[in-house]
Amino acid sequence: MNIYSVNPKSGVSKLLLKESSKTWVDEKSYNNIMFFDNYFVMPSMRDGNRHLYQYSVNGKLMRKLTSGKWDVISFLGSDGKKNFYYTGNAEGAIYSGLYKVDTSGKVTPLGKKGGYVTAEFNPTASHYIMTYSNVTTPYEITLNSVLGKKLKTFFDNKDLKGVKFTEKEFFTFKNESGIELNGYMLKPLDFDQNKKYPVIMMQYSGPGSQRVLNRWESFDWLHYMV
């Protein structure tokens, strides 16, 4: 994966950054690069987890912004000064939380925990629209200030709160290499542990295919079959 700067008048290009891997380069990381006036931010899995790296416009590494045994899910923006915003699964692989990190490495959680958050920021990163849900909470969509104030609720889906199609149970298990993985089971609401039930098992291990997430799900064929 190469990043170039190109002079639009002369057409002369300069290699800013080159990244390679013996296995594969994570396309989700490179689709999430953002350029600002004096720097750019690039997610990379070079240390085994997807984290954020800040580079100067000349391709010089300024700092690693995030670190730890967890992944940045999406880089969302920067105020162009010292604050950077992203979603990550620091709570656990089935979660997505919203965070701010500054140039000193200080991390500040934003929004709600214990569920799945996505967000969109305005260009100056002063406000954001956040979507939050978990397995029992339908999607809530709000407008927020980065100072921590909720300004408006667009949707709260209150009519769906408390509605259950099935009972969802999360669990973990280990594969043959001893790596702990996540799974979930959907059970009928009148599930009787003394009875036997037919089981439909769905599994796929392709890159970026994770389905085990603590978020609200609409009624689909899995729920119908249960």
Side-chain angles (χ1 to χ4, degrees), residues 78-124:
S78 169
D79 61 7
K81 299 174 183 177
K82 67 173 186 176
N83 296 310
F84 305 82
Y85 301 90
Y86 64 92
T87 53
N89 59 12
E91 288 183 79
I94 67 174
Y95 300 98
S96 171
L98 179 62
Y99 302 91
K100 174 181 75 173
V101 63
D102 63 23
T103 50
S104 71
K106 180 183 177 182
V107 176
T108 305
L110 302 174
K112 293 185 176 182
K113 293 184 177 182
Y116 204 88
V117 171
T118 61
E120 293 186 20
F121 278 69
N122 65 333
T124 58

Side-chain angles (χ1 to χ4, degrees), residues 33-50:
I33 299 172
M34 287 192 189
F35 290 84
F36 301 89
D37 288 342
N38 301 312
Y39 59 85
F40 65 92
V41 176
M42 184 184 82
S44 171
M45 294 194 75
R46 68 187 64 168
D47 72 351
N49 291 92
R50 187 184 301 113

Side-chain angles (χ1 to χ4, degrees), residues 27 30 50 85 103 123 157 166 173 180 187-188 206 211 214:
E27 63 175 307
Y30 305 124
R50 187 184 301 113
Y85 301 90
T103 50
N157 286 305
T166 60
F173 61 98
E180 188 172 88
K187 298 178 179 179
R211 289 181 53 92
N214 190 349

Side-chain angles (χ1 to χ4, degrees), residues 151-189:
L151 303 176
K152 184 178 180 63
T153 298
F154 295 115
F155 300 100
D156 59 12
N157 286 305
K158 61 182 180 180
D159 293 340
L160 287 175
K161 290 182 179 179
V163 174
K164 280 188 176 183
F165 306 127
T166 60
E167 196 72 47
K168 189 171 187 177
E169 175 185 317
F170 292 99
F171 61 90
T172 60
F173 61 98
K174 291 186 178 181
N175 66 7
E176 293 179 351
S177 302
I179 298 173
E180 188 172 88
L181 303 174
N182 294 287
Y184 71 84
M185 182 184 298
L186 296 177
K187 298 178 179 179
L189 293 179

Side-chain angles (χ1 to χ4, degrees), residues 108-159:
T108 305
L110 302 174
K112 293 185 176 182
K113 293 184 177 182
Y116 204 88
V117 171
T118 61
E120 293 186 20
F121 278 69
N122 65 333
T124 58
S126 60
H127 297 79
Y128 61 93
I129 293 175
M130 181 178 72
T131 301
Y132 171 85
S133 75
N134 61 32
V135 69
T136 58
T137 305
Y139 293 109
E140 299 174 350
I141 304 175
T142 57
L143 173 65
N144 308 269
S145 163
V146 293
L147 300 178
K149 184 178 181 180
K150 181 170 73 174
L151 303 176
K152 184 178 180 63
T153 298
F154 295 115
F155 300 100
D156 59 12
N157 286 305
K158 61 182 180 180
D159 293 340

